[in-house]
Amino acid sequence: MCRHLGYLGTAVPVASLIADPPHSLVHQSYAPADMRGGGSVNVDGFGVGWYPAPGSAAVRYRRTGPIWADANLEAVTRASTSGAVLAAVRSGTVGMPLVETACAPFTDGRWLFSHNGRIADWPGSVADLAKALPVTDLLTLDAPTDSALLWALVRTRLAAGDHPAAALAAVVSDVAATAPGSRLNLLLTNGTVLVGTTWTHSLWVLSTPDSVALASEPWDADERWREIPDGSVVAVSAHPSTVDIRPIGPRGRTGNP
């Protein structure tokens, strides 16, 4: 499994989120605390996405290999500040390519997306879901991976006008129904809203007066961290700081977002 985090709040150096905390994403890449049988390290690539200014399109930096081995990441993220960040380290699933384009976050305009988990019995289990996508979407996937397909499914729902929380919940529900045993922890942000799901893996939320964060594991010992129940979709905003957690029901029903 992978590790990921999302942040909304007061603009901070990107490095203060991914590298500085005692159990930062960099630390989790080689010493994760809660992988739940999904491997032991996360060294098959990484990615960081952020917004240089409010309302701007997302920018992204991603590479193959361990996050701690990148010579440029420290300088880039130390010099970049943002009020919205999404980052991930990858533990590649056996049989899937270890290439830069397979690393989260995936992006489209202002959207950033990440997947922590795996689709069971890939790819046959989700062939029918893939058939419902436009052919051009399938031909232009970032990589032939389950995460890239999930992003295409989410992106299609967003383009149809679904609320971000409803889009994630529906995709999780659909994939879980056709591929039982999948792990489907997703993160999605456009710089204004941050949404995540929990589906057989961990996700925690930290809410402070000026920020909200979602993360696979707490990055420090702050007692305000709360674990989100399994089978949930959570939507957070920073101004004001709000956290809305709802169960993912049949076919992605979550009530009104």
Side-chain angles (χ1 to χ4, degrees):
M1 301 303 107
C2 308
R3 307 281 81 184
H4 57 191
L5 66 83
Y7 169 89
L8 289 179
T10 302
V12 296
V14 177
S16 71
L17 300 172
I18 68 170
D20 293 348
H23 191 52
S24 67
L25 201 63
V26 173
H27 189 258
Q28 291 173 34
S29 68
Y30 60 84
D34 190 11
M35 290 290 278
R36 303 192 183 187
S40 57
V41 292
N42 302 278
V43 297
D44 297 322
F46 68 91
V48 186
W50 66 92
Y51 301 83
S56 70
V59 298
R60 176 184 59 193
Y61 184 95
R62 60 180 179 174
R63 293 289 186 270
T64 56
I67 189 172
W68 71 79
D70 187 276
N72 298 313
L73 181 65
E74 169 75 14
V76 170
T77 57
R78 190 70 61 192
S80 302
T81 61
S82 182
V85 177
L86 195 153
V89 290
R90 184 178 184 222
S91 176
T93 301
V94 174
M96 295 192 188
L98 302 180
V99 293
E100 183 177 302
T101 54
C103 298
F106 301 95
T107 187
D108 184 2
R110 293 193 63 203
W111 293 108
L112 292 167
F113 172 83
S114 177
H115 167 222
N116 168 23
R118 56 181 286 272
I119 292 179
D121 301 318
W122 165 268
S125 60
V126 288
D128 287 342
L129 292 178
K131 289 177 184 177
L133 290 170
V135 173
T136 52
D137 287 5
L138 293 175
L139 293 175
T140 56
L141 289 178
D142 283 48
T145 64
D146 52 1
S147 298
L149 177 66
L150 287 167
W151 174 222
L153 293 169
V154 169
R155 195 170 62 240
T156 296
R157 288 187 171 274
L158 293 172
D162 282 12
H163 184 277
L168 289 197
V171 168
V172 167
S173 183
D174 287 348
V175 173
T178 191
S182 297
R183 297 189 175 196
L184 303 167
N185 278 32
L186 312 180
L187 284 182
L188 176 71
T189 186
N190 62 1
T192 302
V193 65
L194 172 64
V195 183
T197 62
T198 58
W199 198 268
T200 72
H201 219 308
S202 62
L203 190 67
W204 294 72
V205 60
L206 174 65
S207 181
T208 74
D210 55 9
S211 68
V212 185
L214 299 174
S216 298
E217 301 178 13
W219 59 57
D220 59 20
D222 194 317
E223 295 183 353
R224 291 171 294 185
W225 283 104
R226 291 187 293 143
E227 188 168 14
I228 298 168
D230 191 28
S232 299
V233 58
V234 52
V236 306
S237 60
H239 305 294
S241 179
T242 61
V243 179
D244 182 19
I245 302 173
R246 302 177 186 231
I248 298 175
R251 306 301 294 179
R253 292 199 301 272
T254 61
N256 293 324

